């Protein structure tokens, strides 16, 4: 498996573009990841960067899934919060030795390379979620999507998901690309569109 840090940097850079595109009236909109609306998804993303950036220092990546303060954050503040979390992640994982060091993350003890690959997968999946939720029509980094799909197929079993936060695998056409197939593998509807976006 290649060094996932360059792909993580690209994945989070494109996600930052989407975070900056969220409008105030979209914060309560649904997302393809049914447990989150846009506001709570943003809180989950920022909280995740903070939790996983603490892993190299001995943290376990656990904590509140959606920080309580997320409810009071206006749309215009999310880009700054996400940029801070992204910087923390990139700085925390800069040491090459961390790629082979065994670290503790919410899904177990794994080499840092695998832990970060999981972060690329989650970032890519939630990038697709946010893009669909706000009706974003830009082009996503397909190399990131394909890498994330490969990680998902190795890390998330197709069967026996009862204890995992993923629905059953769905069908997705090859034309759906890496992100659509990733969404389907993780149990999302690859054809999902926000109600407002579907009418445009």
């Amino acid at each position: 498996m290649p060094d996932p840090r360059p792909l993580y940097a690209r994945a989070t850079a494109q996600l930052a573009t989407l975070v900056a595109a969220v409008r105030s009236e979209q914060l309560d909109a649904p997302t393809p990841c049914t447990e989150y609306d846009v506001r709570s998804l943003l809180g989950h993303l920022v909280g995740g960067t903070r939790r996983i950036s603490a892993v190299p220092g001995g943290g376990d990546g656990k904590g509140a899934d959606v920080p309580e303060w997320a409810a009071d954050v206006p749309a215009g503040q999310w880009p700054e919060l996400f940029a801070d979390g992204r910087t923390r992640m990139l700085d925390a994982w800069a040491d090459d030795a961390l790629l082979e060091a065994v670290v503790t993350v919410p899904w177990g003890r794994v080499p840092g390379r695998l832990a970060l690959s999981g972060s690329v997968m989650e970032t890519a999946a939630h990038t697709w979620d946010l893009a669909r939720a706000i009706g974003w029509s830009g082009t996503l980094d397909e190399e990131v999507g394909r890498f994330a799909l490969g990680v998902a197929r190795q890390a998330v079993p197709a069967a026996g998901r009862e204890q995992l936060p993923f629905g059953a695998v769905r069908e997705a056409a090859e034309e759906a690309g890496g992100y659509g197939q990733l969404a389907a593998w993780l149990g999302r509807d690859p054809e999902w569109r926000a109600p407002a976006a579907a009418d445009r």
Side-chain angles (χ1 to χ4, degrees), residues 28-43:
D28 295 320
T31 76
C33 187
T34 55
E35 62 186 295
Y36 300 121
D37 59 13
V38 169
R39 186 193 309 275
S40 58
L41 177 59
L42 293 171

Side-chain angles (χ1 to χ4, degrees), residues 1 7 14-15 37 50 75-76 79 85 88 96 99 101 110 123 154 168 173 175-176 184 191 196-197:
M1 183 173 288
L7 285 167
Q14 75 171 355
L15 179 52
D37 59 13
R50 293 179 176 183
R88 291 188 194 199
D96 291 349
L99 295 180
V110 296
T123 299
Q154 292 181 54
E175 307 85 77
E191 301 299 323

Side-chain angles (χ1 to χ4, degrees), residues 59-144:
D60 61 7
K62 295 181 180 179
D65 184 53
V66 179
E68 291 183 4
W69 49 256
D72 299 321
V73 178
Q77 192 176 346
W78 284 111
E80 177 185 348
L81 291 171
F82 184 71
D84 174 72
R86 179 176 186 264
T87 298
R88 291 188 194 199
M89 277 288 292
L90 296 175
D91 289 347
W93 290 89
D95 185 351
D96 291 349
L98 289 169
L99 295 180
E100 310 311 327
V102 176
V103 297
T104 302
V105 286
W107 53 92
R109 285 182 56 76
V110 296
R113 185 183 302 271
L114 295 183
L116 271 179
S117 295
S119 290
V120 175
M121 181 194 81
E122 180 166 15
T123 299
H126 288 318
T127 296
W128 183 86
D129 290 333
L130 186 57
R132 289 300 173 97
I134 66 173
W136 192 74
S137 58
T139 301
L140 297 177
D141 187 329
E142 185 64 13
E143 185 178 354
V144 170

Side-chain angles (χ1 to χ4, degrees), residues 144-157:
V144 170
R146 291 288 177 185
F147 177 84
L149 175 62
V151 172
R153 285 177 170 166
Q154 292 181 54
V156 182

Side-chain angles (χ1 to χ4, degrees), residues 14-27:
Q14 75 171 355
L15 179 52
T17 298
L18 270 73
V19 172
V22 175
R23 303 189 306 273
S24 296
E25 64 269 23
Q26 295 174 318
L27 290 174

